Amino acid sequence: MTSSTADVVIVGAGFGGMYMLHKMRGLGLRAIVLERATGVGGTWYWNRYPGARCDVESMQYSYSFDPQLQQEWNWSERFASQPEILSYANHVADRLDLRRDIRFETSVTSAAYDEASQSWMVGTDGGDTVTARFCVMATGCLSTSRQPDFPGLSNFKGKTYHTGHWPHEGVDFTGKRVGVIGTGSSAIQAIPVIAEQAAHLTVFQRTPNFSIPTRNKAMDGAYEGWWKKDYPKHRNLARTLRAGVITNLNDMSALSVDAAERQRVYEDRWALGGTSFMASFNDLSVNKASNDTAAEFVRSKIRATITDPAVAEILLPHNHPIGTKRICVDSHYYETYNRPNVSLVDVRNSPIETITADGVMVAGREYPVDIIVFATGFDAMTGTLVGINPHGRDGATLAEEWEAGPRTYLGLMSAQFPNLFMITGPGSPSVLSNMIVSIEQHVDWVSDCIAYMNRNGLTAIEPRRDAQDAWVEHVNEMAFRTLYPTANSWYMGANIPGKPQVFMPYIGGVGAYRVKCDDVAAKGYEGFELGAGQARAAAE
Ligand code: FAD
Ligand code: N01
């Protein structure tokens, strides 16, 4: 057991924590990163399931802060695979010599603010403590995987895996009967690849999802050249856009054109592939009638792809507007159900009853499997932070403060928790954006804030409660202008029994959000209480 001190303690060595460390070094500060994995990369370290791939084009899903780095790295495909993104993360760690300040295989189990010294004491599973004035939670929005507590699971004789904890050595499905539970983004990527190898694959689907083909392909040299020739200009543009992705938004309502033109637009987007399908028209996420036209188009594609109409019927999504659960992207997902070795079990009305020694029991019938893959998602956005449950000033705990849903100012900090920053916290655009754009914006803002405090002899910062309340209200108000809250999604916390149903990310767009954050900083950190000595006094 050791105790160390630093200026900044950072939890997590994904893209958020890695960049944070680099920035802190740039300020001449001593930072220590604590990471439970054996390596860097976060999401891309853990999610090694077959078919795992990014849905933001590789030319855009990468750091922009280092001109040399973005010029020297070459992506091999339009959408990068998990192994390639992990290689990129390792390349960055090597190039910036990050590892010497990262303690791997170290889980943070506690974080407590000491009011007297105005510092955070962060405890680990090894019994070590790191004390630092600032604590940055770069713990990720999708880093606490969730496996439902199916009765009988401990009796299962075969192997089980969760997509978010995939073994490094991979899984050999050859000759095996495999069950996949879930049909979210992870399952939709994994299913076609597993089906190619397994003797038989049974998919247990509770909610059918909308999925768009990625049309992934090898990197086009001319396209790559176009990006690299003017990378700073393109990056600057991306930062001003709603999702932080340069995409061709058709700035017209779906209802402003006739049916034939709509069909043409959707066909073009379908052929182009990827999430830009949701940019076919400008009102798909706010107007139900417009959304219905896009949803029906995708349903028509599903019907046209699946040879067995009964199977197609089960796969047709009807219970949420398209895009209000995270839109999925795939490579030959629907076609996979035409394979003779693949079957689909609808568990919507007859949920999984038990896991038996040899399989999965649904509606009194046992589906025999040798391997179960849980593609059952994450306790998203809050699960990891509440799991650590920081203790702030005056005995406040994050779990209690967020009991009715997360409460933050700008998704960056929470009242009662001085000097504790979150990277892409709830109440920021985070998961509704190209996450690297949002990570860089948050890290830059936090870094500027710490530099400002140091320049001005300030030792503590905390959001005012009135500013936080107003922000939470604004986040809600923006969400309810859209169709998103109508879906039972993980954005709403609906995938975790008992979790408060609150729309967690900020939907106002990364461009508008950045302007707001910059404005707050320009006004001397408006809405925050900053102080030398005890900063708390006026924060109430
Ligand atoms: P993470 O990458 O989650 O890193 C957080 C790190 O914190 C992890 O390494 C974790 O081990 C560590 N950690 C957490 N708690 C503790 C603790 N208590 N103690 C010690 N360490 C801890 N985003 C996109 O923009 N585009 C995509 O296409 C995309 N695809 C995705 C695909 C999958 C399968 C998943 C799960 C997410 C995807 N995302 C995507 C979101 C992705 O999480 C972000 O893009 C980005 O990688 C997040 O980086 P991060 O550093 O914020 O968090
Ligand atoms: O998790 P999910 P995920 N019985 O929560 C089902 C990112 N990502 O890992 O919808 C039966 O989306 C559940 O059913 P239902 C992306 O942001 C991106 O797939 O709750 N089924 C659902 O089908 C994504 O959104 C990519 O009814 C049960 C599934 O499990 C996020 O990560 C790739 C069940 C969980 O789906 C999470 O995606 C991968 C039960 N008891 C991930 N419990 C890209 O392509 C849950 N389910 C970029």
Side-chain angles (χ1 to χ4, degrees):
M1 292 195 293
T2 62
S3 59
S4 343
T5 53
D7 298 307
V8 187
V9 57
I10 300 164
V11 188
F15 286 122
M18 290 166 67
Y19 183 39
M20 194 74 221
L21 170 58
H22 178 64
K23 288 289 284 192
M24 293 301 92
R25 284 182 182 171
L27 293 182
L29 299 176
R30 162 100 175 107
I32 295 176
V33 181
L34 305 174
E35 167 57 62
R36 63 184 169 205
T38 61
V40 298
T43 284
W44 307 101
Y45 170 95
W46 294 106
N47 292 266
R48 299 170 188 239
Y49 60 84
R53 187 176 291 287
C54 198
D55 70 359
V56 174
E57 285 191 359
S58 23
M59 295 311 296
Q60 308 204 47
Y61 189 81
S62 55
Y63 286 128
S64 69
F65 66 82
D66 183 329
Q68 179 82 27
L69 173 66
Q70 66 185 2
Q71 287 297 332
E72 76 192 12
W73 184 262
N74 297 315
W75 296 103
S76 68
E77 293 176 276
R78 178 183 175 200
F79 295 103
S81 67
Q82 172 272 329
E84 190 162 28
I85 302 173
L86 186 58
S87 299
Y88 171 74
N90 277 295
H91 168 75
V92 174
D94 291 339
R95 196 175 176 284
L96 303 179
D97 188 20
L98 296 180
R99 287 176 226 278
R100 66 185 153 88
D101 288 321
I102 306 176
R103 296 187 191 165
F104 293 109
E105 295 182 82
T106 304
S107 278
V108 168
T109 50
S110 66
Y113 186 66
D114 177 51
E115 293 188 50
S117 62
Q118 293 182 304
S119 52
W120 280 91
M121 282 179 298
V122 172
T124 74
D125 55 350
D128 300 334
T129 308
V130 180
T131 304
R133 192 146 61 84
F134 297 102
C135 177
V136 181
M137 292 292 180
T139 42
C141 295
L142 294 160
S143 51
T144 294
S145 60
R146 182 203 164 237
Q147 186 172 306
D149 195 11
F150 292 110
L153 181 56
S154 58
N155 300 328
F156 184 59
K157 286 194 305 209
K159 297 252 194 241
T160 64
Y161 303 97
H162 190 287
T163 49
H165 280 276
W166 206 257
H168 290 200
E169 63 280 12
V171 178
D172 185 5
F173 294 106
T174 312
K176 304 285 187 200
R177 297 164 304 174
V178 183
V180 171
I181 301 179
T183 48
S185 301
S186 301
I188 281 177
Q189 289 185 327
I191 283 166
V193 188
I194 296 174
E196 277 176 17
Q197 215 184 52
H200 193 88
L201 170 64
T202 308
V203 177
F204 299 89
Q205 173 193 270
R206 187 164 69 182
T207 307
N209 249 313
F210 293 97
S211 188
I212 312 294
T214 57
R215 316 276 180 217
N216 188 37
K217 56 184 180 188
M219 179 58 71
D220 178 302
Y223 186 61
E224 183 184 18
W226 178 83
W227 272 94
K228 288 196 171 178
K229 188 159 170 283
D230 227 340
Y231 235 142
K233 186 176 120 197
H234 304 317
R235 300 285 205 184
N236 276 332
L237 173 62
R239 291 183 190 115
T240 66
L241 302 175
R242 174 168 283 269
V245 180
I246 297 182
T247 191
N248 185 13
L249 172 68
N250 180 4
D251 204 9
M252 296 173 79
S253 163
L255 304 181
S256 67
V257 296
D258 64 22
E261 172 60 5
R262 246 191 334 261
Q263 183 73 12
R264 185 196 65 74
V265 171
Y266 288 139
E267 289 288 1
D268 283 356
R269 295 280 173 158
W270 186 262
L272 180 67
T275 57
S276 85
F277 183 81
M278 289 307 295
S280 296
F281 294 101
N282 67 5
D283 57 350
L284 298 184
S285 63
V286 291
N287 182 328
K288 179 66 168 55
S290 295
N291 187 287
D292 284 344
T293 65
E296 190 45 38
F297 174 85
V298 175
R299 284 192 288 265
S300 74
K301 289 292 182 192
I302 299 171
R303 284 192 202 95
T305 307
I306 310 285
T307 45
D308 181 341
V311 174
E313 198 53 41
I314 300 171
L315 285 167
L316 296 179
H318 276 295
N319 82 340
H320 61 282
I322 184 169
T324 55
K325 275 165 139 359
R326 168 85 174 201
I327 189 86
C328 300
V329 293
D330 70 274
S331 298
H332 313 297
Y333 172 64
Y334 292 116
E335 294 90 321
T336 299
Y337 292 96
N338 294 334
R339 294 177 66 106
N341 70 332
V342 175
S343 38
L344 177 65
V345 179
D346 184 356
V347 298
R348 178 145 211 90
N349 298 318
S350 302
I352 292 169
E353 287 160 10
T354 49
I355 308 286
T356 64
D358 303 302
V360 179
M361 186 75 85
V362 179
R365 175 174 166 193
E366 185 184 64
Y367 295 85
V369 291
D370 308 305
I371 294 175
I372 299 176
V373 173
F374 293 103
T376 44
F378 300 87
D379 186 350
M381 307 211 68
T382 56
T384 309
L385 291 165
V386 171
I388 296 172
N389 194 18
H391 285 43
R393 63 178 177 82
D394 291 340
T397 68
L398 200 75
E400 281 169 5
E401 290 289 317
W402 289 11
E403 207 170 8
R407 299 193 73 77
T408 70
Y409 182 39
L410 300 171
L412 282 160
M413 296 190 87
S414 198
Q416 302 279 128
F417 300 88
N419 294 3
L420 181 83
F421 295 100
M422 290 167 272
I423 303 303
T424 68
S428 74
S430 60
V431 291
L432 297 176
S433 67
N434 174 350
M435 292 274 302
I436 298 197
V437 170
S438 288
I439 284 169
E440 286 193 329
Q441 185 259 335
H442 263 196
V443 171
D444 288 342
W445 192 96
V446 172
S447 176
D448 289 349
C449 176
I450 290 175
Y452 172 89
M453 289 176 69
N454 286 348
R455 271 199 314 276
N456 291 285
L458 300 164
T459 50
I461 179 168
E462 179 184 340
R464 298 176 62 100
R465 219 172 251 285
D466 58 346
Q468 176 168 291
D469 290 347
W471 182 253
V472 171
E473 200 176 309
H474 175 61
V475 169
N476 261 308
E477 188 204 319
M478 293 299 283
F480 279 90
R481 285 187 199 174
T482 74
L483 300 170
Y484 278 83
T486 64
N488 285 330
S489 65
W490 60 257
Y491 297 136
M492 290 290 291
N495 65 328
I496 307 289
K499 189 165 172 172
Q501 307 263 314
V502 176
F503 191 79
M504 293 183 285
Y506 177 58
I507 209 163
V510 300
Y513 173 80
R514 175 184 296 270
V515 169
K516 169 71 182 168
C517 291
D518 289 350
D519 188 51
V520 161
K523 290 178 175 154
Y525 295 91
E526 186 182 50
F528 290 94
E529 208 60 53
L530 289 105
Q534 297 294 323
R536 51 176 289 192
E540 250 74 28

